């Protein structure tokens, strides 16, 4: 829809609001890198751990050094030696693995909180993690809170259409039918909201 609107009308939004279903790395990379649209979208992230050990968010990313810094101050890098045949370091899942040194982990006081069941800690980083970092930075701004509030208002209206007005699916065919059906549903929705603004009791002069 963004491409069609831009191609047909020459309009492109400065930011886009959506729920976490659109917060994948690929979607965020397309918005940030290709379209230059600020993503007001929660990041879809499964890296948080629930077993009490450190999550990826506890490791600081050093972009210039291409490394992670662990809570103990040690570095996690992709390669610790030079290979005769250069390696890309990209896994089949589209990530890069940054590993700590076994020597550092063995002597670390935080090992039980970091990697109790592994020889050394490793942290995967998505190829489009920089776009996810942009979305995370935006999530802490006042503009994000305002857009989040607006998104919820819109989502409530769509939920009202589906649950109260029974518009779970379109019954008229084609783009014109869909447009007419949505206009009728929106009209009914607005009339319903206007009816709630009507005074519950009429003045005595009008009821006499």
């Amino acid at each position: 829809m963004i491409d069609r609107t831009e191609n047909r009308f020459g309009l492109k939004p400065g930011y886009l609001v959506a729920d976490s279903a659109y917060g994948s790395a690929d979607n965020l990379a397309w918005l940030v890198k290709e379209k230059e649209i600020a993503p007001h979208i929660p990041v879809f992230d499964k890296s948080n751990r629930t077993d009490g050990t450190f999550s990826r968010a506890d490791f600081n990313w050093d972009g210039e050094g291409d490394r992670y810094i662990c809570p103990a101050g040690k570095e996690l890098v992709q390669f610790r030696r030079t290979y005769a045949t250069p390696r890309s370091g990209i896994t089949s899942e589209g990530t890069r693995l940054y590993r700590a040194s076994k020597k550092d982990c063995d002597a670390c006081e935080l090992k039980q909180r970091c990697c109790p069941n592994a020889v050394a800690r490793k942290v995967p980083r998505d190829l489009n993690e920089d776009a996810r970092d942009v979305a995370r930075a935006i999530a802490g701004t006042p503009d994000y809170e305002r857009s989040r509030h607006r998104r919820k208002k819109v989502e409530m209206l769509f939920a009202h259409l589906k649950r109260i007005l029974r518009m779970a699916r379109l019954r008229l065919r084609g783009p014109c039918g869909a447009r007419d059906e949505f206009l009728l549903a929106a009209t009914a929705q607005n009339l319903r909201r206007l009816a709630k603004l009507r005074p519950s009791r009429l003045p005595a002069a009008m009821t006499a």
Side-chain angles (χ1 to χ4, degrees):
M1 288 191 295
I2 292 174
D3 284 336
R4 290 199 301 268
T5 302
E6 185 177 3
N7 294 334
R8 185 170 183 178
F9 302 107
L11 300 175
K12 187 179 74 172
Y15 67 93
L16 183 71
V17 183
D19 57 26
S20 58
Y22 296 89
S24 65
D26 292 338
N27 284 340
L28 295 175
W30 181 78
L31 287 171
V32 173
K33 299 177 181 179
E34 295 188 28
K35 306 305 294 183
E36 297 182 351
I37 297 175
H40 288 213
I41 304 173
V43 177
F44 185 76
D45 191 358
K46 293 184 177 180
S47 65
N48 292 328
R49 295 189 173 188
T50 58
D51 59 357
T53 58
F54 293 130
S55 298
R56 184 172 58 193
D58 297 313
F59 293 75
N60 295 322
W61 169 247
D62 177 12
E64 294 183 0
D66 189 26
R67 61 179 183 170
Y68 275 103
I69 305 298
C70 76
K74 304 300 182 180
E75 67 174 12
L76 288 78
V77 297
Q78 274 195 282
F79 308 112
R80 295 188 178 274
R81 64 185 180 91
T82 303
Y83 294 92
T85 302
R87 300 186 178 186
S88 67
I90 302 175
T91 67
S92 58
E93 291 80 16
T95 62
R96 299 180 187 272
L97 291 178
Y98 292 80
R99 296 178 174 87
S101 167
K102 179 180 181 299
K103 179 180 179 181
D104 290 338
C105 288
D106 286 342
C108 183
E109 297 179 353
L110 301 177
K111 179 174 174 58
Q112 292 303 315
R113 295 183 57 194
C114 186
C115 54
N117 301 319
V119 174
R121 180 62 186 263
K122 62 181 179 181
V123 175
R125 180 175 176 84
D126 195 278
L127 295 177
N128 294 315
E129 194 67 26
D130 52 345
R132 290 152 63 100
D133 289 339
V134 171
R136 291 189 184 101
I138 294 175
T141 63
D143 289 339
Y144 178 85
E145 289 299 323
R146 285 192 289 269
S147 61
R148 179 171 173 268
H149 178 68
R150 294 170 182 169
R151 174 175 63 85
K152 288 187 176 181
K153 292 178 64 176
V154 174
E155 289 179 345
M156 287 178 62
L157 293 176
F158 275 103
H160 182 269
L161 286 175
K162 293 175 63 176
R163 297 179 181 180
I164 306 302
L165 299 184
R166 305 296 183 182
M167 196 176 179
R169 63 184 180 87
L170 297 177
R171 291 168 175 78
L172 301 180
R173 296 183 178 180
C176 293
R179 181 192 60 191
D180 293 342
E181 191 166 351
F182 262 104
L183 286 175
L184 289 172
T187 300
Q189 199 171 46
N190 289 332
L191 289 174
R192 183 185 178 92
R193 298 181 67 183
L194 287 173
K196 292 183 179 180
L197 299 177
R198 180 169 173 259
S200 58
R201 295 184 61 183
L202 296 177
M206 298 182 62
T207 59

